[in-house]
Amino acid sequence: MANTLTGARPLSWPHRIRRFVDVGSTFLAIYWSYKRIQRNKKLTPAERERRISAAHRSSAKRIYRLATRMEGLLIKTCQFISSRADVAPPEYVAVLSRLQDRVPARPFRDVAALIEHELGGHPDAIFDDFTRRPIASASLAQVHRARTKDGRDVAVKVQYPGIDRVMETDLRNIAILVRILARIEPNFDFRVIMAELNKDVPGELDFVREGHSSERVARDLSHRADIRIPAVVWEHTARRVLTTEFIGATKISEIPKLIEQGIDPNQVALIMTEAYCEQILVHGFFHADPHPGNLFVLPGPVVVFLDFGLSKELPEGFRLNYARLVLALISQDEDQMVQAFRALGFKTKSEDPQSLVALGQSFFESTGADQKPYIDADVMPEVNERLARILNANPVTEIPGDILLIFRVLGLMSGLQKRLDSHVNVVETITPYAQAQAARLAELAEGSAAG
Ligand SMILES: Nc1ncnc2c1ncn2[C@@H]1O[C@H](COP(=O)(O)OP(=O)(O)O)[C@@H](O)[C@H]1O
Ligand SMILES: [Mg+2]
């Protein structure tokens, strides 16, 4: 199986083509539903707003149904959209949030067969009280609660049978789209994005690796009493079954429930911000999927991180240059900004630094005049328009693959901060983490000046 990425065979061609057609026709229908409203010049502003909201709701439902039929990467995409309360219309957030942990589940007999194959016994033989009905089901797996023979309360995450073939198919179909896109937009190198996806997706299907990633982050953050990561129960873990200590906590997006327990959402937002500053800037290894289905809160507050399937290791040089970029952005030092972007691997068509400066500035501009800890949707049209104008003159032709999951985290964090109605001062919080890397940075610079 030399040319498969996940080790699984893709679905048959008729299946693959149907996926393409299903996705394509759904998006065309959605496009038209908006276009019709846009073209209708006779609508009063109030009526237009009402129709747009109705179109958001029906489009979100269409996408929801499509995702539950398609599974795989489409569910992951919907989880991302539903986590972007900062920029996505509330209708999308409401409908698609169900896909964070309430995807229609597989029948128990399929789950039992997979456990038997992976762990060598029927779930009822291996565990006490293995619950028939899953407590949650998400993009790759469903989770059942059980008790081990020695009395530990556990969550057993069982991969959906056949999901590896779906993922393999998605990767191949996306590769085709990327090739088409590359023709339409020859200036940009999409291969970088594809290469990163090809690395991340197979990793997500390997639960042994996921267990190790969770232990690594747990070690890195073990000094923090306000962060908890469930322990892995290795004797009941295999490539497609991950058993962890069960933690009964509140989903991070259930704000009224948090408040009822005396938990301050802003304190939760601060813990999250610090956790990501430390993972990315200090350890260079991070949980890359902070959507609300993977984050829970216990009184304290203690933030619980679940699901390390999508974890990322940064090369040391990349991590340090990222710290350098952060410092340059904070101090608004345009020269440093451009140097850091280039050192990270950003490329533009011409030597003109204006595009990279504009990109750097857009980070701040997008949070509004009062520098919120999340993107301000009201200022985005203006920021995007300005950025597009500058990028048109000198396009960014390449972005480094290693930045993609950092961008993903930044996007998800922005959505989360908005949900938590956070007033965390991000600049103040991140500065000491970035500055702590300054000494290493200087060493690196000296080394390269000497060499
Ligand atoms: N150790 C645990 N304790 C409590 N609930 C858990 C635990 N592990 C998973 N869950 C529940 O199962 C859901 C799916 O698990 P997750 O690891 O996120 O799977 P996926 O990779 O498919 O997203 C979570 O959103 C959470 O509700
Ligand atoms: Mg998850």
Side-chain angles (χ1 to χ4, degrees), residues 76 79 100-101 138-140 157 289 291 293-294 306-308:
K76 288 207 76 86
Q79 290 176 338
Q100 290 165 0
D101 48 16
S139 56
L140 300 177
K157 172 169 170 176
D289 209 6
H291 72 69
N294 294 335
L306 297 178
D307 193 356
F308 289 76

Side-chain angles (χ1 to χ4, degrees), residues 298-312:
L298 291 165
V302 171
V303 177
V304 180
F305 283 75
L306 297 178
D307 193 356
F308 289 76
L310 196 57
S311 303
K312 171 80 184 167

Side-chain angles (χ1 to χ4, degrees), residues 26 79 283 407:
T26 302
Q79 290 176 338
H283 304 291
F407 281 169

Side-chain angles (χ1 to χ4, degrees), residues 196 200 276 280 286-290 310-314 400-412:
E196 186 63 27
D200 297 334
Y276 276 95
I280 295 176
F286 59 98
H287 175 280
D289 209 6
L310 196 57
S311 303
K312 171 80 184 167
E313 173 155 27
L314 299 172
D402 286 325
I403 202 81
L404 293 173
L405 289 179
I406 295 183
F407 281 169
R408 180 184 167 87
V409 166
L410 293 179
L412 290 171

Side-chain angles (χ1 to χ4, degrees), residues 39-306:
R39 279 196 182 163
N40 192 339
K41 302 284 178 222
K42 286 191 224 119
L43 296 175
T44 62
E47 179 59 14
R48 178 179 304 274
E49 203 165 299
R50 198 194 62 75
R51 289 204 191 176
I52 288 179
S53 171
H56 283 339
R57 185 159 293 277
S58 72
S59 305
K61 285 185 181 157
R62 269 193 173 123
I63 296 174
Y64 173 85
R65 285 192 299 268
L66 177 75
T68 54
R69 270 203 316 278
M70 295 288 115
E71 305 175 327
L73 280 177
L74 203 59
I75 292 189
K76 288 207 76 86
T77 309
C78 291
Q79 290 176 338
F80 186 80
I81 298 170
S82 71
S83 309
R84 299 301 306 270
D86 52 337
V87 287
E91 295 86 348
Y92 280 88
V93 173
V95 174
L96 299 181
S97 286
R98 270 184 277 170
L99 296 171
Q100 290 165 0
D101 48 16
R102 277 170 289 156
V103 174
R106 300 286 176 91
F108 176 71
R109 62 171 184 282
D110 294 0
V111 170
L114 191 124
I115 290 187
E116 194 141 8
H117 180 273
E118 293 291 299
L119 302 181
H122 190 276
D124 290 340
I126 296 179
F127 299 98
D128 280 343
D129 291 335
F130 190 95
T131 53
R132 294 300 184 256
R133 200 215 269 253
I135 52 171
S137 40
S139 56
L140 300 177
Q142 62 194 56
V143 175
H144 292 257
R145 202 168 160 178
R147 208 148 24 85
T148 57
K149 295 280 179 197
D150 57 7
R152 281 172 291 167
D153 204 358
V154 292
V156 187
K157 172 169 170 176
V158 188
Q159 201 169 102
Y160 298 129
I163 196 72
D164 48 352
R165 296 189 64 188
V166 172
M167 293 303 246
E168 178 74 34
T169 306
D170 282 347
L171 286 179
R172 288 173 185 232
N173 283 355
I174 293 171
I176 295 173
L177 280 180
V178 161
R179 249 175 286 160
I180 296 171
L181 259 176
R183 296 240 164 152
I184 302 172
E185 184 48 83
N187 271 329
F188 189 80
D189 187 357
F190 290 93
R191 282 173 307 183
V192 178
I193 296 177
M194 199 63 228
E196 186 63 27
L197 263 179
N198 286 346
K199 263 196 301 201
D200 297 334
V201 171
E204 280 195 87
L205 293 166
D206 182 353
F207 289 179
V208 172
R209 185 189 142 112
E210 177 172 338
H212 287 302
S213 300
S214 83
E215 286 188 337
R216 180 164 173 190
V217 177
R219 243 189 341 266
D220 288 343
L221 301 179
S222 62
H223 64 98
R224 293 204 59 138
D226 52 4
I227 293 173
R228 188 154 158 208
I229 294 166
V232 180
V233 180
W234 284 110
E235 61 270 34
H236 301 315
T237 292
R239 195 179 152 80
R240 291 189 291 170
V241 178
L242 175 65
T243 301
T244 54
E245 143 199 29
F246 175 84
I247 298 181
T250 307
K251 191 170 166 179
I252 200 165
S253 53
E254 292 185 24
I255 315 294
K257 273 200 193 164
L258 297 181
I259 292 172
E260 223 170 80
Q261 296 169 65
I263 296 168
D264 173 11
N266 192 61
Q267 183 64 23
V268 173
L270 181 62
I271 297 171
M272 288 295 303
T273 311
E274 290 176 349
Y276 276 95
C277 288
E278 180 167 346
Q279 289 177 79
I280 295 176
L281 290 165
V282 181
H283 304 291
F285 187 79
F286 59 98
H287 175 280
D289 209 6
H291 72 69
N294 294 335
L295 300 167
F296 290 75
V297 187
L298 291 165
V302 171
V303 177
V304 180
F305 283 75
L306 297 178

